[in-house]
Amino acid sequence: MLYNIDGQDYEVIVVYKRIRNIHFRFVNGAFLVSCPRRTSEKMIKSGLDRFGKKLLKRSVKEQAFGDGYIYLFGKKVSVSYPGSIQYDSETIIKFKNQDDLLKKFRKIFLNYVTSRTLFYEDRMKCPHYSVKVRQMKSRYGSNNRHSETITYSLTLLHYSPEIIDSVIVHELAHCHVYNHSDKFYRVVYNFCPEYDELRKKLIKAVFA
């Protein structure tokens, strides 16, 4: 569905869950609504009428990338197009434009999260998962236990390693508890004690 604010249409992504309350967020240019099953469209629109402009106003912060900069792994990097970035002591990434830059860093990000997932698999005594990366608007990661695949949102590329790790721990915790019960979060906190603080940064788009 679409929701209009001051003449501008915004996509609304509705995710139905086994929860009691409705939660509204504005993520990657779209409203994300988590709500109980059987929540009516009228109730969702009523909530957007109440919170939509506030959420939109809060989102007008520094974005993941803009004119002359981009956040990569939580660091603000100055860029110009075409240009190059010194990724590490041995790697220089050359790019033609923003799309080309993101395309090349997608491969770097996939290698990074694959390595970090393997690290936590050993610590958390989880099976070995295949790792994928793709654009996802409604979540930061997903765990498919049947195919033993974890998929991470490419959006995480912009966040600090600590925040990325918190998402990895969250997804791997589902190896032990496949819901979001207290038992699940005990597993998460055991391997990521600062999870709540890092989660807030993730939701509020605080990249560093």
Side-chain angles (χ1 to χ4, degrees):
M1 60 185 282
L2 295 176
Y3 183 74
N4 188 284
I5 296 180
D6 297 331
Q8 174 68 47
D9 284 333
Y10 296 91
E11 183 182 5
V12 180
I13 301 169
V14 181
V15 180
Y16 295 96
K17 298 182 177 180
R18 295 178 62 183
I19 55 177
R20 294 183 179 181
N21 301 313
I22 306 177
H23 302 280
F24 296 88
R25 289 187 284 154
F26 188 78
V27 180
N28 297 332
F31 288 101
L32 176 60
V33 183
S34 301
C35 58
R37 296 169 183 173
R38 298 184 181 179
T39 301
S40 67
E41 184 175 315
K42 182 179 179 180
M43 188 173 294
I44 292 171
K45 286 186 175 180
S46 176
L48 288 171
D49 289 340
R50 183 177 178 186
F51 303 112
K53 285 189 176 182
K54 292 180 181 179
L55 291 171
L56 198 58
K57 187 176 180 180
R58 287 181 196 167
S59 74
V60 185
K61 304 174 184 177
E62 192 164 42
Q63 300 298 308
F65 47 82
D67 186 19
Y69 76 90
I70 186 169
Y71 274 94
L72 297 169
F73 295 101
K75 294 182 179 180
K76 189 176 183 180
V77 180
S78 297
V79 293
S80 58
Y81 303 103
S84 62
I85 290 177
Q86 182 87 35
Y87 173 64
D88 56 31
S89 60
E90 300 178 353
T91 309
I92 296 177
I93 307 297
K94 295 182 179 180
F95 47 87
K96 299 175 182 178
N97 50 44
Q98 183 174 288
D99 289 340
D100 189 33
L101 170 62
L102 291 174
K103 180 180 179 180
K104 289 177 177 176
F105 263 91
R106 179 177 186 147
K107 296 179 182 178
I108 292 173
F109 180 65
L110 175 58
N111 290 336
Y112 178 83
V113 290
T114 299
S115 174
R116 295 302 292 170
T117 300
L118 182 60
F119 170 80
Y120 278 106
E121 283 171 350
D122 291 341
R123 292 191 65 195
M124 298 173 69
K125 293 181 172 54
C126 294
H128 178 64
Y129 273 76
S130 296
V131 175
K132 296 181 180 180
V133 169
R134 66 180 179 87
Q135 292 283 3
M136 294 193 290
K137 287 188 175 182
S138 62
R139 57 180 65 185
Y140 298 104
S142 64
N143 180 326
N144 188 324
R145 292 196 301 176
H146 299 293
S147 64
E148 294 191 340
T149 300
I150 291 182
T151 304
Y152 298 106
S153 171
L154 185 59
T155 303
L156 292 172
L157 165 67
H158 305 294
Y159 288 87
S160 69
E162 294 79 11
I163 294 174
I164 296 172
D165 276 1
S166 73
V167 176
I168 293 172
V169 169
H170 179 111
E171 295 309 325
L172 286 175
H174 284 307
C175 298
H176 302 288
V177 186
Y178 209 59
N179 55 45
H180 291 101
S181 62
D182 290 343
K183 184 179 179 181
F184 167 81
Y185 283 106
R186 283 197 294 270
V187 176
V188 171
Y189 296 142
N190 186 38
F191 294 97
C192 184
E194 298 179 345
Y195 178 81
D196 288 342
E197 179 183 344
L198 294 170
R199 183 71 178 179
K200 287 178 183 178
K201 286 186 175 183
L202 180 64
I203 292 173
K204 293 181 179 180
V206 178
F207 305 105

